[in-house]
Amino acid sequence: MAEGIKKKLLYVNRKAPYGTIYALEGLEVVLVGAAFEQDVSVAFLDDGVFQLLDGQDTADIGVKNFSRAYKALGDFEVRKVYVERESLAERGLDSADLMQITYEDENDDGAEKPLVRLIDRRELAHIMSEQDVILSF
Amino acid sequence: MAYQVGDVVAEADEEGYLQDISLWSEELAQAIAKSENVELSPEHWEVINFLRSYYAEYQIAPAVRILLKEMKKSFGPEKGDQKYLYSLFPYGPAKQACKIAGLPKPTGCI
Amino acid sequence: MSTLHIVNKSPFERNALASCIGHLGNDDAVLLIEDAVVAARDGSTVAPLIREALTNGPVYVLAADLAARAIKREGVIAGMKLIDYRGFVELAAQHARTQSWL
C-alpha cells in the first residue's frame, strides 16, 4: 500500500467465542488485514474478553478451538492489543485468567514481550475517539 | 476430487485442499504434490515441516513474513526469500505449500 | 471530530446500549436503529441511560423503526431527535467515524 495513507484502524471485539461467528470472523479479519500494513489496534471488551481466556477446550462441542491463533497476533505485526479492565471485573475475571500472548520485539534483539495491555474504560473510550476507522465484531 | 494412498481415500475440495486435515500423512503429501506437478525434495519438506509445526502450535498458517524469517533462521539467508519459495512452489508458499502440507485453505489473499 | 455510535439491539436483551454509553467521548452522538429504538420510550428502566447520554451529546432515533414498533412520537424521551433515512446518511457524513455496537 502506498505511503501516506496508513489509517488508524481499531477492531472492537464484544462477543464471547463459539456461540456466534463474530469472534472467529473478527480474528480472521485482523489476520488477513495485517497484510495491508495499517496502524492496527485490537480491543476486547464486554463478553469479548472471553475470547482471550486461557484453557479453552472445544473438544466436546465439535467446533474448532481457534484461541491459540490469538498468540500469533504478534507474528502478524499487531502491536496494540487492549483488554478492558472493567469488563473483566464485571465477569469475575482478572488478568491472571488471560492467555499469555507475547510478541518478538525486533528493536530489542527479538526479546519476547507481553502484547496485551489492560486499560480502563475511559482510556478505551479515548482510543476509540482517535481512530480513522472502527470495525466491530 | 479425492486423493488415494493405499486404502486411504482423502476427499478434497474443488481446489484440492483436504476436507479432513487429520488424514494427512507424508504419503498423502506426495499424492497432493503429484497432482500439483511438484516433485517433493528435501527443500520442499523444510517448508512443509515448518508450516505443519506452526499450524500445530497456532491453528493457523503463518504470515508469509514469518515463514521467510523462519526459513532464514533455520536454513540460511538464501532460503528466506520469496523467489526461492516460489521456485519450490510455483503457485505460492501460502496456497500451494499449505495444500501439500495439509493445512486448511488460507483465508486471506496472502 | 466526534464519533457517531450506532446501536441496533434492544437494551432489554443486550448490553450494547449500556456499553456504548459507557464509552462515549465528548460530543459523541448516539443513534438508535432497529430493535434499539425500544430504548427511546420514556418511563422504561433504561430511560436514565438515555438521559445520561443526552447530558453528553445528541441522541437520535430512526423514526421508521419507531413507527414499525408502534412507539409513539409523544412517548419518546424529551430531548431525543427523530430522524429519517436521509438524516441517518447525513449524520454518518458529519462525523469523523461511526462505531456499530452489534
Side-chain angles (χ1 to χ4, degrees), chain B residues 25 67-68 85:
Chain B
S25 63
L67 174 60
L68 291 173
L85 290 174

Side-chain angles (χ1 to χ4, degrees), chain C residues 31-78:
Chain C
L31 168 61
L32 309 180
I33 64 170
E34 300 168 17
D35 283 352
V37 304
V38 301
R41 247 184 73 95
D42 204 358
S44 85
T45 55
V46 300
L49 256 185
I50 298 290
R51 292 205 170 84
E52 186 189 332
L54 282 166
T55 64
N56 178 80
V59 181
Y60 301 91
V61 58
L62 195 61
D65 282 323
L66 278 180
R69 289 162 185 77
I71 299 168
K72 297 198 169 49
R73 285 167 180 254
E74 50 275 25
V76 168
I77 295 167

Side-chain angles (χ1 to χ4, degrees), chain B residues 2-10 27-28 31:
Chain B
Y3 305 104
Q4 184 156 12
V5 177
D7 297 340
V8 179
V9 177
E27 294 72 31
L28 195 48

Side-chain angles (χ1 to χ4, degrees), chain B residues 8-11 17-28 32 52 55 59 99 101-104:
Chain B
V8 179
V9 177
E11 297 287 333
Y17 290 86
L18 291 178
Q19 302 280 20
D20 178 357
I21 59 174
S22 71
L23 292 175
W24 187 90
S25 63
E26 293 191 1
E27 294 72 31
L28 195 48
I32 302 170
R52 289 193 61 79
Y55 187 82
Q59 301 290 300
K99 193 188 293 183
L103 270 54

Side-chain angles (χ1 to χ4, degrees), chain B residues 1-57:
Chain B
M1 64 175 295
Y3 305 104
Q4 184 156 12
V5 177
D7 297 340
V8 179
V9 177
E11 297 287 333
D13 68 14
E14 67 274 15
E15 291 176 79
Y17 290 86
L18 291 178
Q19 302 280 20
D20 178 357
I21 59 174
S22 71
L23 292 175
W24 187 90
S25 63
E26 293 191 1
E27 294 72 31
L28 195 48
Q30 297 283 4
I32 302 170
K34 197 175 167 201
S35 81
E36 297 274 319
N37 290 317
V38 171
E39 177 136 10
L40 294 182
S41 67
E43 287 74 25
H44 289 90
W45 282 104
E46 291 169 354
V47 179
I48 293 168
N49 290 335
F50 172 70
L51 289 176
R52 289 193 61 79
S53 70
Y54 193 93
Y55 187 82
E57 185 167 356

Side-chain angles (χ1 to χ4, degrees), chain A residues 76-96:
Chain A
F76 285 77
E77 303 282 273
V78 177
R79 290 290 177 274
K80 289 179 264 187
V81 179
Y82 305 108
V83 173
E84 190 182 85
R85 197 175 277 118
E86 290 88 338
S87 296
L88 283 175
E90 285 162 9
R91 289 159 182 78
L93 302 168
D94 62 46
S95 58

